[in-house]
Amino acid sequence: MEPTKNGPILAVFASSKGPGDPERASLMSQTGTYFAKRGAQLVCLVEGNSIPIPLITAARAAGGSVRIVADTSFVLPPALQGVTVEALEDQAARFERVSALADGLVALPGSLWSATELFGVWSTGKTKGRNLPVVMLNRHRAFEVMRGYAADVLSPGLPGHERAIQFADNIEDLWSRISRLVSEAR
């Protein structure tokens, strides 16, 4: 696990592109600030220049550390100068890198794109023997379908699924759940 850390390293999946919750930018900012103030280090996967700028700027403004794992076409916006960027050509390599860095995965309401990236990183981790906990912010029922899937499909076939995937209703609950799950996994 790298780098040396005080708090957990959390891969946060959030998208500011496409249809979805109009509060996304605000939720990203609140999450970045809240997590950074509690010592979390954030990892963001950036593909196709879909970058969660409000999350990253808020975390940095609160004294947090952020690392971006991106495709090779990514150009760092001037507002994010000083953020560590790892550019990897292959999507599978990016998924593997984020999975290797993270202690846990967090999903904020966003687009199908960010949910697809979350699944890619989670499943890559599973194939590498990593059981990364996932917590989704179910604001305005954004992940209600996933919640139903977890209850109906995962629960009978995956013992302990409640330690693998959880849902939160607000940012405080999101932090509480992911920090507890990461602690239990260590």
Side-chain angles (χ1 to χ4, degrees):
M1 197 71 42
E2 58 178 91
T4 304
K5 59 191 184 288
N6 296 327
I9 299 174
L10 302 175
V12 181
F13 297 86
S15 175
S16 58
K17 298 198 184 297
D21 190 334
E23 293 179 292
R24 282 191 284 203
S26 175
L27 287 171
M28 282 190 245
S29 294
Q30 291 171 33
T31 302
T33 299
Y34 198 87
F35 284 17
K37 286 184 176 182
R38 281 148 187 83
Q41 297 179 50
L42 305 184
V43 175
C44 296
L45 178 62
V46 174
E47 294 183 307
N49 284 326
S50 177
I51 180 167
I53 291 175
L55 174 80
I56 295 168
T57 55
R60 291 179 69 214
S65 169
V66 179
R67 176 185 301 244
I68 295 172
V69 176
D71 60 35
T72 54
S73 69
F74 176 69
V75 177
L76 190 68
L80 300 182
Q81 292 303 314
V83 174
T84 300
V85 177
E86 293 181 45
L88 300 170
E89 183 74 33
D90 182 61
Q91 185 181 55
R94 291 188 295 275
F95 286 174
E96 187 171 334
R97 182 64 177 146
V98 172
S99 173
L101 287 169
D103 296 320
L105 309 177
V106 172
L108 300 179
S111 68
L112 185 55
W113 182 260
S114 58
T116 302
E117 289 175 332
L118 167 74
F119 180 75
V121 169
W122 179 79
S123 61
T124 297
K126 292 292 276 183
T127 64
K128 300 294 181 184
R130 303 224 44 225
N131 292 314
L132 295 171
V134 178
V135 180
M136 298 179 188
L137 180 60
N138 198 28
R139 176 95 171 156
H140 298 303
R141 302 169 56 98
F143 294 106
E144 201 62 25
V145 170
M146 290 298 300
R147 179 180 266 179
Y149 177 82
D152 295 343
V153 178
L154 289 181
S155 60
L158 182 61
H161 80 283
E162 68 281 353
R163 287 187 307 276
I165 184 169
Q166 292 188 7
F167 300 87
D169 295 319
N170 57 56
I171 293 168
E172 294 82 6
D173 186 32
L174 182 68
W175 171 255
S176 175
R177 289 174 185 274
I178 194 64
S179 59
R180 181 178 38 78
L181 290 170
V182 166
S183 269
E184 289 172 0
R186 287 183 177 168

